[in-house]
Amino acid sequence: EVQLVQSGAEVKKPGESLKISCEGSGYTFSTYWIGWVRQKPGKGLEWMGSTYPGDFDTRYSPSFEGQVTISAEKSINMAYLQWSSLKASDTAMYYCARRESGNYPFDHWGEGTLVTVSS
Amino acid sequence: QSVLTQPPSASGTPGQRVTISCSGSSSNIGSNYVYWYQHLPGTAPKLLIYRNNQRPSGVPDRFSGSESGTSASLAISGLRSEDEADYYCSAWHDSLSGPVFGGGTKLTVL
């Protein structure tokens, strides 16, 4: 069974750094893209970027380029989303999700990590 | 503002058939497959339909998808109370080189 297990909720202050994680299991981790999707309170889903653990190819949505860093460690089936300096506007639920190579959306999702940024 | 356009809400009574629309452009729905997700807040979004009209194993045949040109639809027949959720459409967007989503449709079972 394909599973994506995300790290727990975080409460941070503006300006702090943060790295959240997503562990994949039940499939060959290095052969699927892992993406991150943001959902702000009461809003829809926004694709942030994706990484391919097999060769570390990483693509970002223009809206998030330079704002976050997406990475993966294929040896331990982990993907990461990190911020160097959080803003209050980063408060949201963040989902990791898997997709196959090619022009296809996601097929399996994690349950989300709630990030709250408040002074 | 989401790239794909969905109605914000839909409703029906148990047993009814409801349809949720998703409108895009030649850069997304018009040239790529449409996926549909069911999402209950606080849980992982669940894939309902992939490649326009295919159901993953375990998804009841009450759920069906269709696509025509730059639009797509999700139909739910024999509506049940447990179908009450948010529904999102998604498609690959060529110039973005990534997936785009609709704004979501909140389905209420009256």
Side-chain angles (χ1 to χ4, degrees), chain B residues 70-85:
Chain B
T70 58
S71 295
S73 293
L74 173 71
I76 308 171
S77 60
L79 202 59
R80 297 184 176 186
S81 58
E82 59 259 37
D83 297 333
E84 195 162 279

Side-chain angles (χ1 to χ4, degrees), chain A residues 12-13 27 31 37-38 58 75 77 79 94:
Chain A
K12 291 288 190 179
K13 290 182 167 43
Y27 71 101
T31 62
V37 176
R38 183 176 77 177
T58 303
S75 62
N77 290 4
Y94 293 88

Side-chain angles (χ1 to χ4, degrees), chain B residues 33-52:
Chain B
Y33 289 118
V34 178
Y35 285 38
W36 289 91
Y37 306 99
Q38 180 188 61
H39 186 212
L40 291 163
T43 69
K46 175 187 174 183
L47 181 65
L48 282 181
I49 298 290
Y50 67 101
R51 301 197 184 194
N52 295 340

Side-chain angles (χ1 to χ4, degrees), chain A residues 4 37 39 42-47 50 59-63 93 95 99-112, chain B residues 2 32-35 37 39-47 51 86 88 90-92 94 96-104:
Chain A
L4 296 171
V37 176
Q39 184 174 36
K43 302 295 185 183
L45 304 170
E46 301 173 86
W47 174 66
S50 299
R59 314 283 176 86
Y60 293 93
S61 164
S63 300
M93 183 71 85
Y95 295 96
R99 68 171 185 87
E100 57 184 307
S101 291
N103 296 353
Y104 305 115
F106 301 111
D107 61 0
H108 285 85
W109 295 65
E111 294 202 351
Chain B
S2 300
N32 297 290
Y33 289 118
V34 178
Y35 285 38
Y37 306 99
H39 186 212
L40 291 163
T43 69
K46 175 187 174 183
L47 181 65
R51 301 197 184 194
D86 297 323
Y88 291 90
S90 180
W92 189 263
D94 292 332
L96 187 63
S97 292
V100 290
F101 297 92

